[in-house]
Structure formats: structure tokens, C-alpha cells
Amino acid sequence: MSVGKGLFVTFEGGEGAGKSTQIRLLADSLRERGCTVLTTREPGGSPGAEAVRHVLLSGAAQEFGVRMEAILFAAARSDHVEEVIRPALLKGAVVLCDRFMDSSRVYQGVTGNLEPPFIEALERVAVNGVIPDCTIVFDLPASLGLERVRRRANAAEVSAGQEAELDRFEKEELETHEKRREAFLDIARSDPKRCHVVDAAAAASDIAAAVLAIVEPMLPKTGGGPDTEAAQ
Ligand code: TMP
């Protein structure tokens, strides 16, 4: 469902799929075309939601159960939608969001074993009518994605003397990550108008071209105009 004159694009997939890099490349291409672009992420993207992000990804909420975590993801999403995403769309921006409601469907719903009506109810409240116009699903064998995540964590450790710490979700079993891959593909199959699957094992430049080819025909007719201070 379109909100205002903007375009809402979400990026979904398992760990280490390269979404952030591709969001950056797409944002650059769209700005070159004169669009106002806002890049953002979940959990997070607004001050309130970023505070909740730490609680979720550190694992601090894990002991309270998946239901509690799902509600926290929804609370963060609601704040992000109302404070950041909806206002940007109303101004005509192209909003590129790293993860959104499909991550809750997959991580808390499918692999968290929460019943669909509960997930659907949270989703309705959290998104409050702000549904992505387009979702790009980055598909990658889970083993490859996890290998990338571990390599990234090790590089961070070497360069900054940090702990090679994986987050609460990255630490889970390979089998769980494989189930998530299948669940994202199921969502894409069930909603082909909104979802587009790209091969995240391809070369970065090929993925960037594929993503641009999906998004370009959907750009707002006005072109968005010059960047505003809302754009990151
Ligand atoms: P990321 O910023 O590295 O993608 O980490 C976010 C993690 O949070 C990732 O493991 C997926 C997880 N997540 C959920 O479990 N549910 C959600 O609704 C969202 C947005 C993310």
C-alpha cells in the first residue's frame, strides 16, 4: 500500500546476505537520479527503536521468551514507522529499510514457533497501514551467510581489539538459519507482487544491477527532488 507520494522498499533475508552494502549502492544510484532517499534499519531507525535494538540483539530479552521479544520488535517497529518511515513517505522520499515485518514473520513466527494470529496481530498494530511497496529478498545458503558474519566479526576483533561477538540470532544453529531461508522464500512465493528474490551469492555489482532494475520502474513520478535533511 503506497503512503503519500513516496516509495517504501524493504530488504530481507538471512544473516550475512549483504543487504547493507546493497542498500548503500542503491541509495547512491537513486540519489544520482535526483531522488530523495532515506536509508534506515530494523530493529532501530528511530531513537526509541534503537534503544530497544540493544535489548534485543544483546540477548538481554531472551530469557523472557520469544513472545516478549516479538512484542519488543513490534514496539520498536511502531515507533520507527510513526516517527521516521511514514513522515518520510508523506514527503515523497524513497525509503530503503534493512529488515521489516517479514523478519518478524520468519524469526519470531516460523523459527520462534509463535502462532500466526499473534504475529499477524502484532504486525497490524506495528505497521499501521505502512506496507512495503516492494520487498527484495536476499537469498543465500545459510552456511555461506554465517561464514561471512564470522569473518566480519573476526575482522572487527582484529582491527578494533573488540570481541568477535555474534548477536543473539547469529549464534543460533545452522538448521534454524536454513529454516529461515526457506521461510523467506515461502513469503516471496506467496506475495509475488511485492517480493522479488535476488541471488545474494552473485557478485556485488551484479546484485546491485538486479536490485536497481527492480526498483527503478517503481520510482515516484516526481523523482523526489533534491535530498532533504531527512535523508541519511
Ligand atoms: P542485523 O541488523 O544484523 O540484520 O540484525 C538484526 C537481527 O534481528 C537479525 O538477526 C534478525 C533479527 N530480527 C528479528 O528477529 N525480528 C525482526 O523483526 C527484525 C527486524 C530483526
Side-chain angles (χ1 to χ4, degrees), residues 123-140:
E123 180 178 302
R124 243 187 338 272
V125 170
V127 309
N128 194 17
V130 179
I131 307 288
D133 297 295
C134 169
T135 296
I136 300 179
V137 174
F138 283 64
D139 182 50
L140 189 69

Side-chain angles (χ1 to χ4, degrees), residues 13-18 99 106-107 111 138-152 166 169-185 199-201:
E15 312 296 332
R99 298 193 180 281
V106 168
Y107 282 74
T111 56
F138 283 64
D139 182 50
L140 189 69
S143 55
L144 198 55
L146 290 175
E147 205 181 293
R148 288 182 183 175
V149 166
R150 290 199 189 99
R151 230 182 296 133
R152 203 190 300 148
L166 301 183
F169 297 97
E170 289 165 346
K171 281 179 188 154
E172 289 180 315
E173 298 291 318
L174 178 61
E175 194 189 335
T176 305
H177 290 287
E178 280 296 354
K179 269 192 204 148
R180 288 176 181 149
R181 179 188 188 193
E182 289 311 315
F184 278 119
L185 291 174
D199 175 9

Side-chain angles (χ1 to χ4, degrees), residues 15 42-43 53 57 73 77 99 103-104 107-108 167 169:
E15 312 296 332
E42 289 210 346
R53 177 183 175 92
L57 299 194
F73 274 111
R77 179 159 306 129
R99 298 193 180 281
S103 282
S104 285
Y107 282 74
Q108 284 67 55
D167 74 30
F169 297 97

